Amino acid sequence: MAPVLGSYVRGGWHVPPDEGRPLFDAVTGEEVARVSSAGLDMAAVLDHGRRVGGPALRELTFHQRAGLLKALAGHLREHREELYAVSARTGGTPFDAKFDIDGGIGVLQAYASKGRRELPNDTIYVEGDVEPLSRGGTFVGQHIATSLQGVAVQVNAFNFPVWGPLEKFAPAFLAGVPSVVKPASPTAFLTAKLVELIVGSGLLPEGTLQFVAGSVGDMFDHLTEQDLVAFTGSASTAAKLRTHPGIVGRSVRFSAEADSLNLSVLGPDAGPGTPEFDLYVKQLVQEMTVKAGQKCTAVRRAFVPAEHVDGVVEAVSARLASTVVGNPGSEGVRMGALASLEQREEVRRSVKALADSGRIVFGDPEKVDVVDADAERGAFISPILLTGDPDRAEPHEVEAFGPVSTVLPYSSTEQLIGYAARGQGSLVGSVVTGDTGFARDVVLGVAPWHGRLLVLTQADAKESTGHGSPMPQLVHGGPGRAGGGEEMGGIRGVLHHMQRTAVQADPDTLTAITGRWVAGSRRTETDVHPFRKHLEELRIGDAIVAGPRTVTQEDVEHFAEFTGDTFYAHMDADAAAANPLFGERVAHGYLVVSLAAGLFVDPDPGPVLANFGVDRLRFLTPVRFSDALTVTLTCKQVTPRDSADYGEVRWDADVTRQDGESVARYDVLTLVAKKNTKSA
């Protein structure tokens, strides 16, 4: 008897007291492991995450969490071969293994990068602009996001035993929320190996990642208002979990990725012989055969102009005929097995339902020639291509979760959009066309029913990641039948694990809470120029007031000649007088910014290493000849970089004229050295 998978909970590996149920090698049918969650105290598992993992994570800043994700990605990359070896037993080819394993590692790397670049080196996230709430400016508002103090329970599907857990774990970890990972049983042995490698790295604070092999038992009975649930699986299971009393009664955040009858559309312009036709056929075959079609993003409905159906069927069938099915470890094999014999039977039932309303034009669900394997002991099935009637219900309701797709004709864009909506919501759709007008009409028409849309042309084909590849920077999820949830999506996925709170206060208090200087709060003017201070010496509110500097006609004309910017409002008195916004010649906005820099910059070498940008620049009122400009530069935000000898400093620049009215406001971004560095 194969060993029973352990669960990693409460700081150690738990071995269940029973024999569990068997898990099988998808290729050979041999027993690989057994799985059971017997003996687990689910309430204690959740409590351990909240009591131990949560506080440890929340002590770290976003940048520190991002650093751990980066280190973890590096560790897993070094151990990929161990994961590849186990992945072969799930039925996938080496390409399938890389798609799953390297894709999951890529999510860790992407979130590590976004955490360092887009989040502050702090434990709270300040969202959006300060909202003025009073005439005098003494009462303002700001949205902040703080880490939820619960646990993210992550229930994953069998098809991506590595990518699935990591795409849920990465944003939760970056948000400061510990995870409890529950994999689908058929491929749980691969997720167990992943967790073994993560735990063995010693990189993560205790309690931030726990792993439950087997059933979740009564875990949902112990959820609290601060917990979250992310589910990937069937729509029927999602519906049951969504209405669980523990979720409904405590308003637990619930995100689901469920069934999806994803479409791919061939444009009317893309007939046989065009580059887009070849791209369409290649993509469809790839989506049918990668991971044996066991992808929630795979193409199930292939919409084709009625006049091109025969051409598409012929081209796709020719490619499928050359697809070798069999043992993933054998040379030349392009498609492996389904995850289990049970899954094969489910696919066969779905194909029968589709065939009752259409016609199989390639493949046989009951028979397939395989290389170096037993077609009955292993969960093998032939790629199946059907043609169907888009006016029938079955193509829009039945999902065969395997290497199965149905070609459906359409005769107009309006008809196509109507057919797309009958899928009741999908994760992804693609439009393959060289006609930008058609692409726009289809994208805008089907967007309400889709979480992601790919427009594939010969212009982007070489660099496109493809129809079936969710990207961590973009939302993965879809409306309606697809579950109505969202995962990843860059920082959106992080904020899903945080509580957005509106804070109303006076400017000084809001500055203290957010760690960002707010207009109207106190400034500190000292004898030391702020540009002479190292990163550790700068304080929020440190400021310099410089000026005045009178703008002359000679300044404007010199700037125009020097830069070549001779726009009439600066150089032509009559034309400027006719302009209702100015009424007379005015200074260039960028001249104002340049003069302001000349006022506040300290010219000698010092801690300020570089100006790397200007944000939120607005010219508020015209500057006329003889206006006297003063600039107030205030330290707005200090962001240390843990891995560098410098950090980022954001300065508020307010340029005013002699009557005190602001003529320009913007943020100046600088890199400032830390103490005792060579650069200082």
Side-chain angles (χ1 to χ4, degrees):
M1 185 176 69
V4 183
L5 296 178
S7 294
Y8 184 77
V9 295
R10 303 170 66 187
W13 288 96
H14 166 84
V15 179
D18 64 348
E19 294 183 352
R21 68 183 185 88
L23 306 178
F24 300 100
D25 186 311
V27 176
T28 66
E30 297 173 349
E31 187 174 310
V32 177
R34 289 178 167 257
V35 64
S36 171
S37 61
L40 286 181
D41 183 339
M42 296 303 182
V45 170
L46 295 175
D47 178 69
H48 184 74
R50 300 186 197 110
R51 183 174 47 82
V52 178
L57 262 186
R58 293 192 296 272
E59 285 183 3
L60 304 176
T61 67
F62 291 112
H63 286 199
Q64 290 170 325
R65 298 171 203 155
L68 290 176
L69 289 179
K70 180 180 179 181
L72 180 60
H75 175 77
L76 293 178
R77 185 167 291 278
E78 292 176 358
H79 292 269
R80 283 182 299 175
E81 296 298 331
E82 297 175 50
L83 293 170
Y84 292 160
V86 179
S87 179
R89 310 202 74 173
T90 69
T93 65
F95 180 85
D96 296 337
K98 290 182 178 181
F99 194 89
D100 179 26
I101 294 162
D102 291 16
I105 294 172
V107 172
L108 294 180
Q109 292 172 319
Y111 270 96
S113 176
K114 295 188 81 67
R116 293 193 305 273
R117 289 186 292 106
E118 300 181 32
L119 295 174
N121 198 2
D122 201 345
T123 57
I124 71 166
Y125 179 76
V126 180
E127 184 180 47
D129 295 330
V130 174
E131 297 288 345
L133 303 175
S134 66
R135 185 181 298 274
T138 61
F139 187 52
V140 293
Q142 174 77 69
H143 289 101
I144 66 171
T146 54
S147 305
L148 290 173
Q149 297 189 15
V151 174
V153 177
Q154 298 156 358
V155 182
N156 294 286
F158 67 83
N159 54 329
F160 283 98
V162 174
W163 190 340
L166 292 181
E167 79 171 18
K168 292 179 172 66
F169 166 76
F173 186 89
L174 191 54
V177 177
S179 297
V180 174
V181 174
K182 191 279 176 198
S185 291
T187 55
F189 53 87
L190 178 51
T191 308
K193 182 61 179 179
L194 170 69
V195 173
E196 178 187 321
L197 291 172
I198 293 174
V199 172
S201 74
L203 290 168
L204 304 187
E206 173 50 43
T208 58
L209 175 65
Q210 298 183 86
F211 166 73
V212 172
S215 167
V216 295
D218 64 351
M219 182 181 290
F220 281 26
D221 294 333
H222 305 290
L223 294 172
T224 72
E225 298 83 357
Q226 290 287 304
D227 296 320
L228 309 95
V229 174
F231 169 81
T232 300
S234 70
S236 59
T237 303
K240 291 178 182 178
L241 296 181
R242 196 190 302 273
T243 56
H244 189 284
I247 289 178
V248 175
R250 294 183 178 271
S251 299
V252 175
R253 295 189 190 186
F254 182 87
S255 178
E257 176 198 322
D259 302 348
S260 187
L261 287 161
N262 309 297
L263 61 79
S264 184
V265 177
L266 180 68
D269 60 299
T274 64
E276 281 75 21
F277 181 90
D278 294 338
L279 288 171
Y280 184 84
V281 169
K282 180 180 179 181
Q283 175 178 265
L284 180 55
V285 172
Q286 181 173 330
E287 291 301 312
M288 291 178 66
T289 57
V290 170
K291 291 193 70 68
Q294 297 171 114
K295 295 193 302 178
C296 49
T297 55
V299 175
R300 306 301 179 195
R301 298 181 295 166
F303 286 103
V304 173
E307 65 271 23
H308 297 323
V309 167
D310 290 343
V312 168
V313 168
E314 181 180 350
V316 171
S317 297
R319 279 183 171 264
L320 291 176
S322 65
T323 300
V324 179
V325 180
N327 189 321
S330 298
E331 186 175 353
V333 169
R334 298 293 300 275
M335 192 179 92
L338 298 175
S340 66
L341 293 175
E342 291 82 358
Q343 180 62 20
R344 182 172 67 182
E345 291 310 306
E346 176 62 30
V347 171
R348 284 173 171 170
R349 284 193 293 270
S350 298
V351 169
K352 184 180 186 303
L354 291 169
D356 286 344
S357 65
R359 182 168 64 93
I360 295 176
V361 293
F362 181 90
D364 183 342
E366 302 296 331
K367 181 181 178 182
V368 59
D369 294 328
V370 300
V371 172
D372 295 336
D374 186 317
E376 290 306 312
R377 287 181 58 83
F380 295 100
I381 193 170
S382 165
I384 305 292
L385 184 69
L386 303 98
T387 55
D389 179 354
D391 290 317
R392 293 283 297 267
E394 291 85 351
H396 310 293
E397 295 179 357
V398 177
E399 180 183 19
F401 202 74
V404 182
S405 190
T406 303
V407 177
L408 301 166
Y410 73 92
S411 57
S412 70
T413 303
E414 182 180 17
Q415 185 187 59
L416 168 66
I417 292 170
Y419 287 149
R422 294 184 65 179
Q424 303 171 47
S426 299
L427 295 171
V428 58
S430 59
V431 186
V432 188
T433 180
D435 182 340
T436 56
F438 176 76
R440 172 183 165 83
D441 290 343
V442 174
V443 166
L444 298 186
V446 306
W449 303 96
H450 288 79
R452 176 169 61 90
L453 290 167
L454 163 71
V455 179
L456 184 63
T457 69
Q458 58 178 318
D460 64 9
K462 288 184 178 180
E463 294 188 313
S464 170
T465 51
H467 171 104
S469 298
M471 301 300 291
Q473 300 90 336
L474 301 175
V475 164
H476 178 50
R481 178 188 177 122
E486 288 187 359
E487 292 181 357
M488 299 192 295
I491 300 304
R492 293 176 183 84
V494 177
L495 295 179
H496 174 71
H497 296 82
M498 306 183 77
Q499 175 61 42
R500 180 182 292 107
T501 303
V503 179
Q504 299 168 288
D506 65 273
D508 284 328
T509 301
L510 193 58
T511 293
I513 291 171
T514 64
R516 291 187 181 187
W517 183 83
V518 174
S521 62
R522 285 188 291 266
R523 295 185 174 96
T524 304
E525 296 182 53
T526 65
D527 295 335
V528 179
H529 192 295
F531 280 19
R532 309 306 304 172
K533 295 183 178 183
H534 290 86
L535 194 74
E536 300 91 334
E537 298 168 324
L538 278 169
R539 297 293 179 267
I540 302 300
D542 282 356
I544 180 175
V545 179
R549 166 68 156 82
T550 301
V551 179
T552 67
Q553 180 175 329
E554 290 74 16
D555 290 331
V556 173
E557 292 176 351
H558 174 71
F559 190 81
E561 180 182 2
F562 180 71
T563 63
D565 180 356
T566 56
F567 185 61
Y568 75 87
H570 313 306
M571 301 300 291
D572 186 329
D574 292 337
N579 185 321
L581 296 178
F582 302 134
E584 61 182 285
R585 291 172 65 186
V586 296
H588 306 71
Y590 296 113
L591 171 60
V592 172
V593 172
S594 298
L595 293 176
L599 291 173
F600 67 68
V601 165
D602 185 285
D604 296 326
V608 176
L609 305 176
N611 176 336
F612 71 94
V614 171
D615 270 356
R616 307 160 62 85
L617 173 62
R618 293 292 183 271
F619 300 119
L620 304 173
T621 193
V623 173
R624 310 180 190 284
F625 302 159
S626 300
D627 278 347
L629 304 181
T630 298
V631 60
T632 302
L633 189 76
T634 307
C635 180
K636 186 174 186 177
Q637 183 181 10
V638 178
T639 304
R641 288 186 178 180
D642 293 334
S643 59
D645 293 334
Y646 56 86
E648 300 172 12
V649 179
R650 180 180 289 265
W651 307 82
D652 177 86
D654 183 13
V655 186
T656 56
R657 64 189 183 192
Q658 61 275 5
D659 60 359
E661 185 173 359
S662 292
V663 300
R665 292 207 70 157
Y666 51 97
D667 288 354
V668 178
L669 311 178
T670 62
L671 300 178
V672 178
K674 298 176 183 177
K675 282 185 175 181
N676 302 318
T677 63
K678 292 181 180 180
S679 56

